[in-house]
Amino acid sequence: MELAEITADNVGDVYDLVVAPGQDEFVASNPWSLAQAYAERHIAWPQAVVVDSTVVGFIMLQFDPDDDDGRPYQLWRLMIGADHQGKGYGRAALMLAAEECRRRGATELFTSWVLGDGGPEGFYIGLGFVPTGDWDEDEKVARLTL
Ligand SMILES: CC(C)(COP(=O)(O)OP(=O)(O)OC[C@H]1O[C@@H](n2cnc3c(N)ncnc32)[C@H](O)[C@@H]1OP(=O)(O)O)[C@@H](O)C(=O)NCCC(=O)NCCS
């Protein structure tokens, strides 16, 4: 697996990737994430999740030293396409993202998630994220120590 820059060659595959029915309440669509990545390109690090030359997911980090909430390194978006879930790709992509954060000098990575049946809370807790007690609107904030 690799995390790959979004290019003219892979942007269509990223754009078309969707989550399973009922999961869209837990993550924004890739077209919207790509639009935000452009609009906020000064802090956004969008990457295609690629396995054997196939785009299986999308991940976006935020690198913002001036983050209002004191969370400069954040996992902004993570999704694995419906047909590719349950194969360890989500965990592997998150580990590669954590490596990138360490490489940039981070000691912790933050994220937040929407609660609900079928939501990603168990995934993140299982990978070591610990809720901080804070909320970002209706999303529970958590920290992964790197
Ligand atoms: C959440 C998501 C990224 C996980 O990716 P994935 O490739 O399916 O997960 P993996 O196969 O890497 O699973 C890693 C581990 O987490 C567990 N896991 C995966 N999804 C889980 C969930 N929703 N709840 C609890 N545990 C979960 C797996 O069982 C596996 O456990 P194991 O280590 O005991 O084998 C993916 O299911 C997805 O894109 N969901 C929809 C969008 C979403 O919710 N994104 C997060 C928004 S904050």
Side-chain angles (χ1 to χ4, degrees), residues 19 23 26-27 78-80 84-91 112-113 118-120 122-124:
V19 294
Q23 289 182 328
F26 300 110
V27 69
L78 173 60
M79 65 79 69
I80 301 295
H84 304 290
Q85 292 181 6
K87 301 175 181 174
Y89 296 159
R91 175 183 37 229
S112 62
W113 57 77
F123 167 79
Y124 286 120

Tab-separated table of all heavy atoms in Angstrom, residues 19 23 26-27 78-80 84-91 112-113 118-120 122-124, ligand 1:
chain	number	residue	atom	x	y	z
A	19	VAL	N	-18.585	5.013	0.003
A	19	VAL	CA	-18.674	4.113	1.152
A	19	VAL	C	-19.923	3.243	1.007
A	19	VAL	O	-20.710	3.422	0.089
A	19	VAL	CB	-18.704	4.930	2.464
A	19	VAL	CG1	-17.370	5.643	2.670
A	19	VAL	CG2	-19.859	5.913	2.506
A	23	GLN	N	-23.249	4.489	5.521
A	23	GLN	CA	-22.018	5.010	6.113
A	23	GLN	C	-21.810	6.478	5.769
A	23	GLN	O	-20.934	7.125	6.341
A	23	GLN	CB	-20.812	4.215	5.619
A	23	GLN	CG	-20.722	2.809	6.160
A	23	GLN	CD	-19.480	2.076	5.663
A	23	GLN	OE1	-19.003	2.309	4.538
A	23	GLN	NE2	-18.945	1.183	6.475
A	26	PHE	N	-21.258	9.325	8.221
A	26	PHE	CA	-20.038	9.360	9.034
A	26	PHE	C	-18.861	10.041	8.341
A	26	PHE	O	-17.841	10.322	8.988
A	26	PHE	CB	-19.651	7.939	9.447
A	26	PHE	CG	-20.711	7.257	10.254
A	26	PHE	CD1	-21.447	6.206	9.715
A	26	PHE	CD2	-21.012	7.693	11.533
A	26	PHE	CE1	-22.455	5.599	10.458
A	26	PHE	CE2	-22.009	7.098	12.282
A	26	PHE	CZ	-22.741	6.047	11.743
A	27	VAL	N	-18.967	10.297	7.032
A	27	VAL	CA	-17.846	10.927	6.325
A	27	VAL	C	-18.384	11.705	5.127
A	27	VAL	O	-19.352	11.276	4.490
A	27	VAL	CB	-16.825	9.855	5.874
A	27	VAL	CG1	-17.373	8.968	4.781
A	27	VAL	CG2	-15.501	10.490	5.453
A	78	LEU	N	-11.065	10.100	6.285
A	78	LEU	CA	-10.601	8.756	5.967
A	78	LEU	C	-11.784	7.961	5.474
A	78	LEU	O	-12.824	7.897	6.137
A	78	LEU	CB	-9.981	8.054	7.175
A	78	LEU	CG	-9.616	6.581	6.990
A	78	LEU	CD1	-8.592	6.379	5.880
A	78	LEU	CD2	-9.099	5.989	8.309
A	79	MET	N	-11.645	7.369	4.296
A	79	MET	CA	-12.667	6.461	3.803
A	79	MET	C	-12.005	5.386	2.970
A	79	MET	O	-11.022	5.624	2.283
A	79	MET	CB	-13.747	7.185	3.000
A	79	MET	CG	-13.328	7.830	1.720
A	79	MET	SD	-13.128	6.719	0.306
A	79	MET	CE	-14.777	6.221	-0.050
A	80	ILE	N	-12.528	4.167	3.093
A	80	ILE	CA	-12.152	3.049	2.250
A	80	ILE	C	-13.392	2.684	1.452
A	80	ILE	O	-14.498	2.596	2.013
A	80	ILE	CB	-11.657	1.857	3.071
A	80	ILE	CG1	-10.443	2.247	3.930
A	80	ILE	CG2	-11.345	0.666	2.170
A	80	ILE	CD1	-9.180	2.625	3.154
A	84	HIS	N	-13.791	-2.468	-0.738
A	84	HIS	CA	-12.421	-2.719	-0.263
A	84	HIS	C	-12.321	-2.728	1.265
A	84	HIS	O	-11.213	-2.807	1.808
A	84	HIS	CB	-11.484	-1.645	-0.825
A	84	HIS	CG	-11.512	-1.534	-2.315
A	84	HIS	ND1	-10.994	-2.493	-3.140
A	84	HIS	CD2	-12.044	-0.577	-3.129
A	84	HIS	CE1	-11.177	-2.137	-4.406
A	84	HIS	NE2	-11.810	-0.974	-4.418
A	85	GLN	N	-13.464	-2.618	1.941
A	85	GLN	CA	-13.436	-2.542	3.404
A	85	GLN	C	-13.207	-3.918	4.035
A	85	GLN	O	-13.437	-4.943	3.402
A	85	GLN	CB	-14.746	-1.937	3.928
A	85	GLN	CG	-14.898	-0.462	3.572
A	85	GLN	CD	-16.173	0.156	4.102
A	85	GLN	OE1	-16.936	-0.460	4.844
A	85	GLN	NE2	-16.407	1.414	3.726
A	86	GLY	N	-12.733	-3.908	5.280
A	86	GLY	CA	-12.560	-5.147	6.024
A	86	GLY	C	-11.331	-5.964	5.621
A	86	GLY	O	-11.226	-7.141	5.973
A	87	LYS	N	-10.383	-5.330	4.915
A	87	LYS	CA	-9.172	-6.038	4.450
A	87	LYS	C	-7.903	-5.481	5.091
A	87	LYS	O	-6.795	-5.768	4.616
A	87	LYS	CB	-9.069	-5.922	2.923
A	87	LYS	CG	-10.263	-6.489	2.161
A	87	LYS	CD	-10.150	-6.238	0.659
A	87	LYS	CE	-11.368	-6.785	-0.085
A	87	LYS	NZ	-11.337	-6.422	-1.551
A	88	GLY	N	-8.053	-4.628	6.089
A	88	GLY	CA	-6.896	-4.044	6.764
A	88	GLY	C	-6.388	-2.766	6.129
A	88	GLY	O	-5.401	-2.192	6.588
A	89	TYR	N	-7.075	-2.279	5.071
A	89	TYR	CA	-6.596	-1.087	4.365
A	89	TYR	C	-6.756	0.174	5.210
A	89	TYR	O	-5.901	1.062	5.182
A	89	TYR	CB	-7.342	-0.923	3.039
A	89	TYR	CG	-7.106	-2.028	2.038
A	89	TYR	CD1	-8.025	-2.233	0.999
A	89	TYR	CD2	-6.030	-2.885	2.119
A	89	TYR	CE1	-7.843	-3.255	0.064
A	89	TYR	CE2	-5.830	-3.903	1.199
A	89	TYR	CZ	-6.746	-4.086	0.170
A	89	TYR	OH	-6.570	-5.102	-0.741
A	90	GLY	N	-7.838	0.298	5.940
A	90	GLY	CA	-8.060	1.477	6.780
A	90	GLY	C	-6.955	1.608	7.820
A	90	GLY	O	-6.365	2.680	8.000
A	91	ARG	N	-6.645	0.508	8.479
A	91	ARG	CA	-5.585	0.526	9.492
A	91	ARG	C	-4.239	0.855	8.861
A	91	ARG	O	-3.502	1.703	9.362
A	91	ARG	CB	-5.505	-0.829	10.193
A	91	ARG	CG	-4.354	-0.944	11.177
A	91	ARG	CD	-4.216	-2.304	11.835
A	91	ARG	NE	-4.532	-3.391	10.953
A	91	ARG	CZ	-5.362	-4.391	11.294
A	91	ARG	NH1	-5.951	-4.366	12.459
A	91	ARG	NH2	-5.613	-5.378	10.468
A	112	SER	N	-11.720	13.265	14.854
A	112	SER	CA	-13.031	13.308	15.503
A	112	SER	C	-13.999	12.486	14.682
A	112	SER	O	-13.782	12.291	13.481
A	112	SER	CB	-13.525	14.763	15.643
A	112	SER	OG	-13.686	15.346	14.364
A	113	TRP	N	-15.018	11.950	15.324
A	113	TRP	CA	-15.960	11.126	14.601
A	113	TRP	C	-17.383	11.333	15.100
A	113	TRP	O	-17.614	11.745	16.220
A	113	TRP	CB	-15.589	9.641	14.724
A	113	TRP	CG	-15.506	9.114	16.134
A	113	TRP	CD1	-16.545	8.784	16.957
A	113	TRP	CD2	-14.314	8.836	16.894
A	113	TRP	NE1	-16.080	8.339	18.173
A	113	TRP	CE2	-14.712	8.363	18.166
A	113	TRP	CE3	-12.952	8.965	16.628
A	113	TRP	CZ2	-13.799	8.008	19.166
A	113	TRP	CZ3	-12.041	8.600	17.620
A	113	TRP	CH2	-12.459	8.116	18.867
A	118	GLY	N	-22.745	1.488	13.244
A	118	GLY	CA	-22.035	1.373	11.974
A	118	GLY	C	-20.977	2.441	11.803
A	118	GLY	O	-20.312	2.513	10.765
A	119	GLY	N	-20.820	3.303	12.841
A	119	GLY	CA	-19.830	4.366	12.779
A	119	GLY	C	-18.426	3.860	13.078
A	119	GLY	O	-18.247	2.710	13.495
A	120	PRO	N	-17.427	4.724	12.925
A	120	PRO	CA	-16.017	4.292	13.033
A	120	PRO	C	-15.420	4.313	14.432
A	120	PRO	O	-14.226	4.055	14.589
A	120	PRO	CB	-15.319	5.334	12.148
A	120	PRO	CG	-16.111	6.578	12.357
A	120	PRO	CD	-17.540	6.135	12.496
A	122	GLY	N	-15.298	2.319	17.030
A	122	GLY	CA	-14.562	1.116	17.428
A	122	GLY	C	-13.263	0.944	16.645
A	122	GLY	O	-12.257	0.465	17.181
A	123	PHE	N	-13.290	1.379	15.393
A	123	PHE	CA	-12.088	1.310	14.552
A	123	PHE	C	-10.982	2.174	15.149
A	123	PHE	O	-9.854	1.733	15.351
A	123	PHE	CB	-12.447	1.773	13.136
A	123	PHE	CG	-11.278	2.059	12.233
A	123	PHE	CD1	-10.592	1.033	11.624
A	123	PHE	CD2	-10.896	3.374	11.986
A	123	PHE	CE1	-9.517	1.297	10.780
A	123	PHE	CE2	-9.826	3.655	11.146
A	123	PHE	CZ	-9.139	2.611	10.554
A	124	TYR	N	-11.337	3.428	15.475
A	124	TYR	CA	-10.331	4.361	15.992
A	124	TYR	C	-9.855	3.958	17.396
A	124	TYR	O	-8.662	3.986	17.685
A	124	TYR	CB	-10.885	5.784	16.011
A	124	TYR	CG	-10.980	6.415	14.644
A	124	TYR	CD1	-12.205	6.835	14.134
A	124	TYR	CD2	-9.858	6.577	13.860
A	124	TYR	CE1	-12.291	7.403	12.873
A	124	TYR	CE2	-9.932	7.146	12.598
A	124	TYR	CZ	-11.156	7.565	12.123
A	124	TYR	OH	-11.225	8.132	10.866
B	1	LIG	C1	-13.855	3.033	9.078
B	1	LIG	C2	-13.065	2.532	7.888
B	1	LIG	C3	-12.107	3.615	7.397
B	1	LIG	C4	-12.263	1.284	8.322
B	1	LIG	O1	-11.491	0.819	7.214
B	1	LIG	P1	-11.426	-0.749	6.877
B	1	LIG	O2	-10.402	-0.939	5.832
B	1	LIG	O3	-12.798	-1.263	6.624
B	1	LIG	O4	-10.904	-1.321	8.304
B	1	LIG	P2	-9.749	-2.406	8.530
B	1	LIG	O5	-10.051	-3.600	7.685
B	1	LIG	O6	-8.409	-1.776	8.369
B	1	LIG	O7	-10.016	-2.755	10.070
B	1	LIG	C5	-9.020	-2.621	11.067
B	1	LIG	C6	-9.628	-3.142	12.392
B	1	LIG	O8	-10.707	-2.265	12.768
B	1	LIG	C7	-11.920	-3.018	12.909
B	1	LIG	N1	-13.003	-2.155	12.379
B	1	LIG	C8	-13.164	-1.713	11.106
B	1	LIG	N2	-14.245	-0.933	11.005
B	1	LIG	C9	-14.803	-0.904	12.253
B	1	LIG	C10	-15.949	-0.251	12.807
B	1	LIG	N3	-16.761	0.509	12.042
B	1	LIG	N4	-16.214	-0.445	14.134
B	1	LIG	C11	-15.416	-1.234	14.907
B	1	LIG	N5	-14.292	-1.846	14.446
B	1	LIG	C12	-14.001	-1.684	13.135
B	1	LIG	C13	-11.709	-4.264	12.048
B	1	LIG	O9	-12.535	-5.313	12.479
B	1	LIG	C14	-10.238	-4.542	12.284
B	1	LIG	O10	-10.130	-5.153	13.536
B	1	LIG	P3	-8.930	-6.233	13.827
B	1	LIG	O11	-7.693	-5.391	13.956
B	1	LIG	O12	-9.356	-6.848	15.117
B	1	LIG	O13	-8.879	-7.123	12.667
B	1	LIG	C15	-14.002	2.117	6.706
B	1	LIG	O14	-14.860	1.082	7.146
B	1	LIG	C16	-14.838	3.270	6.139
B	1	LIG	O15	-14.393	3.957	5.214
B	1	LIG	N6	-16.053	3.491	6.704
B	1	LIG	C17	-16.970	4.523	6.200
B	1	LIG	C18	-16.457	5.936	6.350
B	1	LIG	C19	-16.029	6.295	7.767
B	1	LIG	O16	-16.715	6.028	8.750
B	1	LIG	N7	-14.833	6.950	7.855
B	1	LIG	C20	-14.327	7.491	9.098
B	1	LIG	C21	-14.899	8.861	9.285
B	1	LIG	S1	-14.290	9.687	10.742
